[in-house]
Amino acid sequence: MKIEKYKKYHQEIFKTQLEDGLHVSLAPKKGFNSIYASLTVKAGAADQEILSKNGERIFFPAGTAHFVEHQMFEKKDYDPDLIFNDLGAYSNAFTTQSQTVYYFESSDPSFSSFEKSLELLLKMVQEEYFDKKAIEKERQIITQELSMYRDSPDWNLSNGLLKNLYPEQPLAFDIGGSASSIGSIDSDTLSAFHDYFYQPENLYLKITGGFDANEALSLTDKI
């Protein structure tokens, strides 16, 4: 494990990469009760093209990364949000042009609560479930979300600037896509994106707050 020391801030950061490829950064803070953990996927809205194992180019409609983010909270046998709430943790996620981040924050001082929350975070993100009914429901939600952002002057200004700077490039599209582009997204599209990008070597787990670094690393490795 690599240890980075920042004497000015009395902070040590422990970094390592697990055998399966997962990147882990731990920043324990003495005297803190809350713990914040995020799992970052190194893939975002701008990732619209990949090469398959056969060398075939696969194109993803604008908004695919954001759509996958929403679907990660849809599971067959459980509701991640409800479980996080029961554990006393707040959870959410967001997508940018270059990454997708899932996170939770817990103020429960018990290590068991943190253990279960971390296990849920890792399980939720790596376990795909793309049900057709859930996809259709989410499509309507995202369409409404896009309409809401169109009422934001700042958002429109930012998107307009990117469209002029990068015409016909992935950066020119809204992170959430458009009503047309998300209309063409189906379970196969979401599964292909998840299978390619949501691999341990492309995931970065970061934890900070009141915990012991060795315990957290051992826990992560076990999960």
Side-chain angles (χ1 to χ4, degrees):
M1 181 188 295
K2 179 183 177 183
I3 303 177
E4 296 180 354
K5 297 184 178 182
Y6 299 89
K7 293 182 179 179
K8 182 179 179 180
Y9 302 104
H10 307 287
Q11 179 67 59
E12 290 184 337
I13 298 180
F14 302 82
K15 293 185 176 182
T16 190
Q17 187 172 11
L18 303 185
E19 288 186 8
D20 64 357
L22 178 68
H23 303 266
V24 180
S25 295
L26 307 172
K29 294 182 176 293
K30 294 181 179 180
F32 278 61
N33 288 323
S34 62
I35 299 177
Y36 175 90
S38 67
L39 187 60
T40 299
V41 185
K42 200 175 179 182
D47 294 284
Q48 296 180 13
E49 179 184 348
I50 63 171
L51 283 176
S52 69
K53 294 179 180 178
N54 300 324
E56 176 188 1
R57 290 182 179 272
I58 299 177
F59 296 92
F60 296 109
T64 300
H66 179 252
F67 210 128
V68 171
E69 175 218 310
H70 277 236
Q71 288 301 121
M72 286 295 96
F73 288 88
E74 291 284 345
K75 302 301 178 187
K76 182 178 181 179
D77 301 318
Y78 65 97
D79 185 332
D81 278 328
L82 289 179
I83 299 177
F84 275 122
N85 286 338
D86 288 341
L87 293 170
Y90 168 76
S91 64
N92 211 331
F94 62 88
T95 302
T96 70
Q97 293 287 359
S98 60
Q99 62 184 11
T100 308
V101 181
Y102 303 85
Y103 63 91
F104 74 84
E105 182 175 3
S106 174
S107 56
D108 191 322
S110 67
F111 189 77
S112 61
S113 176
F114 165 64
E115 180 178 5
K116 292 176 182 177
S117 295
L118 182 60
E119 184 174 7
L120 176 59
L121 177 69
L122 293 171
K123 177 185 177 182
M124 177 189 83
V125 173
Q126 295 183 90
E127 180 185 77
E128 64 175 73
Y129 173 68
F130 300 122
D131 177 69
K132 290 184 178 180
K133 289 184 178 179
I135 290 172
E136 289 306 317
K137 182 187 75 173
E138 208 62 45
R139 198 190 314 277
Q140 296 178 18
I141 293 173
I142 294 175
T143 300
Q144 293 175 355
E145 191 177 290
L146 292 172
S147 298
M148 179 184 70
Y149 278 116
R150 281 201 296 269
D151 291 332
S152 169
D154 290 345
W155 189 261
N156 282 294
L157 182 62
S158 176
N159 279 344
L161 180 62
L162 289 173
K163 286 180 181 178
N164 281 287
L165 288 172
Y166 307 101
E168 304 304 321
Q169 298 298 314
L171 288 175
F173 296 96
D174 190 298
I175 289 174
S178 64
S180 175
S181 68
I182 65 171
S184 63
I185 294 174
D186 57 18
S187 59
D188 290 337
T189 308
L190 299 172
S191 183
F193 190 94
H194 186 276
D195 289 347
Y196 188 86
F197 290 110
Y198 281 59
Q199 298 299 324
E201 63 270 15
N202 204 43
L203 300 178
Y204 295 77
L205 176 66
K206 299 180 180 181
I207 309 173
T208 186
F211 63 91
D212 178 87
N214 289 323
E215 283 186 336
L217 182 60
S218 176
L219 172 62
T220 303
D221 198 23
K222 182 183 71 174
I223 296 172

